[in-house]
Amino acid sequence: MIERTIPDFTRQELERSGSPYALLGFLVIEHSSLSEPVRLVSDVFDYVLDGETYSGMPFEYKVVTDGEAAPTSTLRVQNVDRRIGVVLRNTSVRPKISLKIISSADFDLTQDPRVVISSASLIYEFAHFELSDVAVNVIEVSGTVKLFDPSTEPWPATTCTQDRAPALYR
């Protein structure tokens, strides 16, 4: 299930100035050019979630819009690893993006990598989105996160010509 609303009480509690906890973004970038997905967490420490290790690399994200238009968001990742920038610069295929937001209260912060204490409570999530309008430079990779929009695809994808359908031209 995709959870795209953050309850007001949860948001206020986590964002208050005296809160000892932080909202952690767990980002997964999947692309056919990558041997395995890139997993990042918006912290400087590594985390283990659902048996997968997420590398600590602070990044900026926004929650997905929920208005009349198609849902969109923005994402900005530091280009420290360089794999992300190289893959996105040299391809025309859009990578798939998934993001989960979980409170740091659900993790044992004394261990390295950080591990879930009992079970992590999902605060916010989106999945199966695509990263488009990608800008890659030495410092960062940024782009627009949105769902696939079939209305932007050319139609018809192929045209009927004499070479493709000779029986129609007899």
Side-chain angles (χ1 to χ4, degrees):
M1 178 179 143
I2 303 296
E3 182 60 44
R4 291 185 22 197
T5 59
I6 300 174
D8 289 334
F9 175 77
T10 304
R11 181 188 292 261
Q12 290 170 0
E13 184 63 26
L14 291 170
E15 291 180 348
R16 70 180 169 88
S17 61
S19 177
Y21 305 113
L23 292 174
L24 300 172
F26 290 84
L27 177 70
V28 178
I29 302 173
E30 297 175 290
H31 192 275
S32 58
S33 298
L34 295 170
S35 59
E36 62 182 50
V38 175
R39 292 180 172 83
L40 304 174
V41 61
S42 61
D43 196 358
V44 294
F45 298 101
D46 293 348
Y47 284 74
V48 176
L49 179 66
D50 298 330
E52 302 289 349
T53 302
Y54 289 76
S55 301
M57 184 184 309
F59 60 88
E60 297 175 28
Y61 58 88
K62 291 185 180 176
V63 295
V64 175
T65 59
D66 245 351
E68 294 295 321
T72 61
S73 180
T74 57
L75 177 68
R76 183 170 306 193
V77 178
Q78 300 303 311
N79 199 11
V80 175
D81 188 339
R82 304 265 190 241
R83 283 186 306 161
I84 303 168
V86 168
V87 165
L88 296 179
R89 178 177 284 163
N90 298 326
T91 185
S92 61
V93 178
R94 294 178 178 169
K96 299 286 185 194
I97 302 290
S98 301
L99 177 74
K100 294 179 182 180
I101 299 177
I102 300 172
S103 171
S104 63
D106 294 332
F107 293 90
D108 182 356
L109 303 178
T110 62
Q111 294 187 19
D112 190 22
R114 312 293 198 231
V115 294
V116 176
I117 294 172
S118 59
S119 66
S121 299
L122 190 63
I123 296 173
Y124 179 87
E125 176 183 25
F126 65 76
H128 310 295
F129 278 62
E130 294 181 345
L131 185 62
S132 64
D133 306 325
V134 177
V136 179
N137 61 37
V138 177
I139 298 171
E140 68 184 13
V141 176
S142 61
T144 304
V145 177
K146 57 186 176 183
L147 287 172
F148 172 72
D149 184 8
S151 68
T152 61
E153 295 297 313
W155 188 88
T158 59
T159 56
C160 183
T161 64
Q162 192 168 4
D163 292 336
R164 286 194 181 132
L168 295 175
Y169 291 91
R170 288 188 180 185

